[in-house]
Each structure stands twice: as structure tokens, then as C-alpha cells.
Amino acid sequence: MAAPTTGAPAARRNFQNTEKPMEVRLSNMTAAKAVADAVRTSLGPRGMDKMITTANGEVVITNDGATILKHMSVMHPAARMLVDLSAAQDIEAGDGTTSVVVLAGSLLGAAEKLLGKGIHPTIIAESFGRAAKKVVEYLEEISTPVDLNDRESLLRAASTSLSSKIVSQYSSILSPIAVDSVLRLVTPASTNVDLRDIRLVKKVGGTIDDTELMDGVLLHQNVITQAGGPTRIEKAKIAIIQFQLSPPKPDMDNQIVVTDYRQMDKILKEERVYILNLCKAIKKSGCNVLLIQKSILRDATNELSLAYLQKLKILAVRDVERDEIEFLARSLGCKPISDVEQMTADKLGEADLVEEISKNGAKVVKISGIKNPSGKTVSVLCTGANSLVLEESERSLHDALCVVRCLVKKRALIAGGGAPEIHVSRLLSQYSQTLKGMEAYCFAAYAEALEVIPTTLAENAGLNPIAMVTELRNRHALGERSAGINVRKGVISNILEENVLQPLLVSTSAIELATETVGLLLRIDDYHPTR
């Protein structure tokens, strides 16, 4: 009797073992590429906008990659990595959030072809990592150093960032605001700018034309005028208080049954005395402007306290958010006061004028002539005809601020319009021919994948992508390093003459982050959901 053969089942088992990781990898790549394709149409000045309806019925119109992906309900874990990638680019550079996702999608497509040729995923991931380093080197070679005193260059970079936004026609107003805001905060030695020191106050009313950089500090809350209190105070002494000017509440719910008018009078008298003592302590410290922190436990003020404040000629602003306190304390040079017994003159900030101003029907509180701020801060008033335009204007201004911050971090500029991508793609293709084995294939595929940016720019502008990219490659081969796609005119031209510039950091960080994410996805060979 012949022994049973075990060769066939073993071979089948081995085949299944190699098949499953491949299936998982392809599923991950397909999901991630679907996300990249979703935002691809919004790349560049002629990119389309997306309308998003949030869970609570709010409508958002934007073409900012990070905002689109943040609102998308992405379920697949691999696709969610691209959402995180866009968020990482937003934190690192602030701009290029769409480009980084499109680039990652293109690199995944290149990796899929290489996997089809039988190249091991680890080799692809490592080769892509080395290719990314080479690309960053090439980009640094073609970059031009920028001086922060050269306001023109900074304006051109900020305008390029705004050119792809819905509010692009207002770039002549928003670019100088972004540049001046950052320049007010930097010193020649600074290597970064904290954008939390730039406060954007949004108010519906007027148009984007009325957006302006304000001297001093702005508050979007209104002055309390119910009891006829003042709305303008000169030689202001400002206090930020974290206690409430209303009767205290016990920790536990309880009921008091009053059966006698005398008892009722006694309770009301106690309340009056308590609030009067609070107001007297505030006046005694010399304070004449009160900023009251928002509380969820009890009312910030009541009618009685407002009446006392009005008699004492103290201007009051309530509902100051908890996350605004640190900014205001730094800007005004005062310390937050959590108890009335700590109200002393040394904790107050000083300013020449605190007043409520009206801009196109929108009221804001302006504090000007601040004496000794403990930190440099800037306030910008953003206006818009409706909340949709206003939100997009704020996002666009934030991107422009990030672009100027990038130039403080890494003081170099490169051309835009797909010129650097084609340039490094050409150099990388030439370099791949000097390599041997699998690595040469991977480098060539990486170089080809970089062409997705100019291709997409041409596609979104309604041009013929194949003809455009071929001509662009030809112009670069003839030595025109700054030739790029002029989207507005629909031709290839010297992109520097069109003032299309972008910070070096935006491109290098996009290349590095996209390559890292693709490497991570390639190394995943199995997927296990847990309970």
C-alpha cells in the first residue's frame, strides 16, 4: 500500500500564505488610493471645491485638503492613515495638505506595479526612503535663500498659497496681513513662530475686503450694557477674573422653604451684601475693566452685580473662553485672578483705551495702547458676508500664515507650478540608471510617480495633461529649470516671472511624509480586528 502524499496540500497551504498578505496589501492600497482620488480634483488654482455636510447639519465649502479629509467619515484603517498624513502636513508646514495626499496615492500606484513584478515590499519601502532623501537634496540645490527683510518674496509666497483658495481674488488684502502678522512676532534669531500668538477674530458683516490687522487686542465678546454700564474706558486697569459676580451655589441640590417675609428679606439682603462686597473689592484694587471667564456651573453676572458695576463705572465683558485666558494674560500683562481676596493692583494690566467698536454692524471690543505686555501677540479681524465665506477666509489666512512661518523655519523658496517636481523627477530618472538590481526599478518608479503633481495641475485646469507634461519635460531637458505650468494662461512659461513661489519646507515635508506613509502601508501584511 502506497504512503499518502503530503506534497500537494503543503504546496496549497504555502500558496495561501503568500496570497493573504498580498490581498491585505492590495486592499490597503486600494482604500488609500480612493482617498487620494477624492481630493485630487481640488489641487491647484483651478481645483474644484467640496461641499461637506457635517453630522449636525452644518455645511462647509472648502478646497483645503486637511479640512476635507477631517470631515470625511473614513472607515478603512489604511485610508485613515492618509487622513492622518494630511493632518501631519498641516501641523508641519500648514500648506500642501492636498499635494501630500495626491503624492502618496501616486507612490502607492507605483508600489503596486512593482509588487506585480515580484519585488519584495521591504525592498520597495527602503528604496523609496532612499529616493526621498535624494529628492530632498535635489530640491535644496535648486532653492533660493530668502531674507525675512525681503517683504516682496514673503508676499509672493503667501499669494501663491492663497491662489488655490476660494478667496483667491482677495489675496492682495490677505497676503500683507499674513506677512505683517508673522513679522511682528519674529526676531532675527527666531527659528519658529507660535501661531497661537496670532488671534483671528471672526465676525459676520461686511466683506473680506474689510479684514484688517489691528493694533492691540480684540475680543469677539460684547460689553455688557444691560444696566447701562460704560462701553469706553480711558486709562484702563484690566483684570481677568475666574470667579463669578453672582450668588454662590451649594455643591448639592437643596430647597429652602421660606414661610415668612422677614426670612425672605434676610436672604435678599445677604445676597446684596455678598455681591456689594465683591464689587467693592474689585473697585478697591483700582480695576475699571473686568474680563470674566465663562462658567458652566453658574451665571457670570446677575442684574444686581451689573447695577453695582454701572454705579462704580466698571466696564464688564463676560463669557471669555478658558482657552483665551492664556493669550489675554500674555497680551495684556495681567494675571488671572481666581478669588476676590487675590484682587491686587499688581495683577492688573494697563492700557490707554478699552472700547466697543462697530465694524459693518459687527461689534468687537478693542484694547489699544497696552503698557507692558508679557509677550508679543497680534490680533486680526476677519470679516465676511456669511459664515461659509468667513470660515473659508479664516482657513485660507491660516494657510498663508503657515507659509510665512515655513520661511521663518527654513529660509528658502522654490518655484511652484509643477516645476520642482519635473526637475527632480528628471534627475532621479538619470540617477536610477547608475544603480543596479531592484533598486534601479524602484528609483525609476518613484521618479515617474512625482509627475502626478504637474499632471493633476494640468488636468484640473482643463488642459491636455500628456501634452503639457511632455512639453514641460522637454523644456527642463533644454535647461529651463524654472519652467512650469501657467494654469491661468494654459501654457508652459517661466514660473518665477509669474511670481509663483512656495517655501522649500512645504515640498520637502510633503515628500518625506508621503514616502513614510507609503513605506508603512507596504510593510503591513495582515489585518486583525480585536474585540
Side-chain angles (χ1 to χ4, degrees):
M1 186 176 158
T5 54
T6 55
R12 198 179 302 119
R13 199 160 54 246
N14 284 340
F15 177 67
Q16 282 169 347
N17 285 352
T18 56
E19 198 178 34
K20 186 161 185 225
M22 197 66 185
E23 261 177 37
V24 170
R25 220 170 267 127
L26 288 176
S27 149
N28 286 350
M29 286 181 171
T30 308
K33 272 162 45 185
V35 169
D37 288 340
V39 293
R40 192 175 163 182
T41 53
S42 63
L43 182 76
R46 291 284 166 89
M48 295 288 132
D49 304 327
K50 308 280 183 221
M51 183 184 268
I52 302 154
T53 310
T54 59
N56 56 6
E58 201 183 319
V59 175
V60 179
I61 298 174
T62 182
N63 68 355
D64 177 52
T67 310
I68 295 166
L69 292 175
K70 188 172 73 182
H71 286 294
M72 274 168 74
S73 52
V74 179
M75 302 307 291
H76 197 288
R80 217 173 293 153
M81 284 173 72
L82 257 68
V83 178
D84 297 339
L85 163 69
S86 183
Q89 173 75 359
D90 200 27
I91 292 163
E92 176 62 26
D95 198 18
T97 49
T98 312
S99 311
V100 73
V101 175
V102 171
L103 199 56
S106 177
L107 290 172
L108 284 169
E112 205 176 314
K113 286 177 192 167
L114 293 170
L115 286 170
K117 288 179 181 174
I119 300 174
H120 195 275
T122 313
I123 293 172
I124 300 172
E126 285 172 359
S127 300
F128 276 12
R130 283 193 288 274
K133 280 183 188 166
K134 207 77 189 154
V135 166
V136 171
E137 276 174 35
Y138 292 146
L139 284 172
E140 282 170 354
E141 277 170 26
I142 60 164
S143 66
T144 51
V146 66
D147 184 11
L148 291 183
N149 297 325
D150 179 9
R151 194 162 175 275
E152 274 305 305
S153 295
L154 303 185
L155 280 172
R156 289 189 321 205
S159 297
T160 303
S161 161
L162 291 167
S163 68
S164 63
K165 309 289 178 202
I166 296 172
V167 294
S168 56
Q169 68 266 38
Y170 298 104
S171 62
S172 58
I173 294 156
L174 299 178
S175 305
I177 290 174
V179 171
D180 293 339
S181 302
V182 174
L183 289 182
R184 282 190 190 187
L185 301 177
V186 297
T187 58
S190 54
T191 55
N192 200 354
V193 174
D194 188 353
L195 291 184
R196 284 174 300 186
D197 290 338
I198 299 172
R199 180 178 165 84
L200 302 177
V201 176
K202 297 179 290 185
K203 282 287 176 182
V204 174
T207 62
I208 297 171
D209 286 320
D210 303 317
T211 300
E212 62 176 308
L213 181 63
M214 292 280 195
D215 287 323
V217 173
L218 287 182
L219 298 171
H220 60 80
Q221 294 87 354
N222 296 338
V223 173
I224 310 169
T225 53
Q226 288 154 353
T231 59
R232 178 188 167 94
I233 296 279
E234 290 182 12
K235 293 182 181 168
K237 296 277 181 74
I238 305 160
I240 298 173
I241 63 168
Q242 295 176 308
F243 56 89
Q244 277 65 46
L245 301 180
S246 57
K249 282 186 180 176
D251 292 337
M252 292 167 65
D253 273 346
N254 53 20
Q255 286 182 326
I256 300 169
V257 180
V258 179
T259 55
D260 190 354
Y261 276 115
R262 279 172 302 178
Q263 289 175 321
M264 203 166 169
D265 279 344
K266 193 178 178 188
I267 291 168
L268 290 170
K269 189 181 174 187
E270 286 285 332
E271 187 182 317
R272 270 202 302 276
V273 169
Y274 173 78
I275 289 174
L276 186 59
N277 287 341
L278 284 180
C279 294
K280 278 182 177 173
I282 289 166
K283 189 66 182 173
K284 190 180 172 188
S285 68
C287 163
N288 54 12
V289 174
L290 265 188
L291 307 180
I292 309 167
Q293 184 178 321
K294 192 175 189 175
S295 170
I296 54 169
L297 299 174
R298 48 195 257 230
D299 298 330
T301 54
N302 64 1
E303 287 180 14
L304 193 59
S305 62
L306 289 177
Y308 287 144
L309 289 176
Q310 184 258 327
K311 282 179 186 168
L312 296 168
K313 295 283 181 283
I314 295 174
L315 180 148
V317 177
R318 69 177 163 212
D319 291 347
V320 176
E321 296 288 348
R322 187 184 287 270
D323 53 0
E324 295 176 312
I325 296 290
E326 189 190 339
F327 174 87
L328 291 171
R330 206 165 54 244
S331 306
L332 304 170
C334 53
K335 291 173 186 166
I337 301 161
S338 56
D339 192 352
V340 71
E341 288 170 12
Q342 298 170 356
M343 279 290 288
T344 51
D346 61 321
K347 292 196 171 90
L348 306 181
E350 289 184 44
D352 290 340
L353 180 65
V354 176
E355 62 176 336
E356 187 175 59
I357 57 172
S358 180
K359 278 264 189 189
N360 304 305
K363 288 183 176 177
V364 287
V365 177
K366 185 181 178 186
I367 305 171
S368 49
I370 298 160
K371 290 286 188 292
N372 45 0
S374 50
K376 283 183 181 177
T377 58
V378 175
S379 291
V380 178
L381 177 62
C382 295
T383 54
N386 58 43
S387 55
L388 290 177
V389 173
L390 188 56
E391 294 286 336
E392 184 59 17
S393 167
E394 189 220 9
R395 277 191 290 269
S396 306
L397 189 54
H398 179 264
D399 276 8
L401 288 167
C402 288
V403 162
V404 186
R405 185 189 63 175
C406 284
L407 292 171
V408 176
K409 278 187 180 177
K410 208 179 218 178
R411 300 182 185 187
L413 279 167
I414 54 171
E421 285 82 8
I422 284 286
H423 177 73
V424 296
S425 169
R426 259 189 71 253
L427 293 181
L428 202 62
S429 292
Q430 289 168 3
Y431 179 72
S432 71
Q433 287 164 13
T434 64
L435 300 170
K436 289 181 184 148
M438 305 287 192
E439 199 175 27
Y441 277 115
C442 296
F443 269 65
Y446 193 98
E448 198 180 323
L450 290 174
E451 290 181 3
V452 72
I453 301 289
T455 306
T456 308
L457 279 176
E459 256 174 43
N460 290 350
L463 307 170
N464 182 342
I466 296 167
M468 275 290 164
V469 174
T470 309
E471 192 190 337
L472 192 55
R473 227 185 272 135
N474 184 30
R475 296 278 279 271
H476 275 261
L478 296 171
E480 292 181 39
R481 285 206 322 200
S482 55
I485 297 174
N486 185 338
V487 174
R488 303 208 185 284
K489 292 177 186 169
V491 293
I492 305 288
S493 62
N494 184 343
I495 219 76
L496 295 179
E497 289 170 8
E498 301 291 331
N499 289 337
V500 179
L501 294 166
Q502 60 184 25
L504 172 66
L505 185 65
V506 171
S507 291
T508 55
S509 109
I511 296 277
E512 285 164 353
L513 291 171
T515 310
E516 250 173 56
T517 305
V518 170
L520 268 175
L521 281 168
L522 281 169
R523 285 191 173 94
I524 296 167
D525 77 334
D526 212 344
Y527 171 57
H528 294 284
T530 56
R531 284 183 190 159

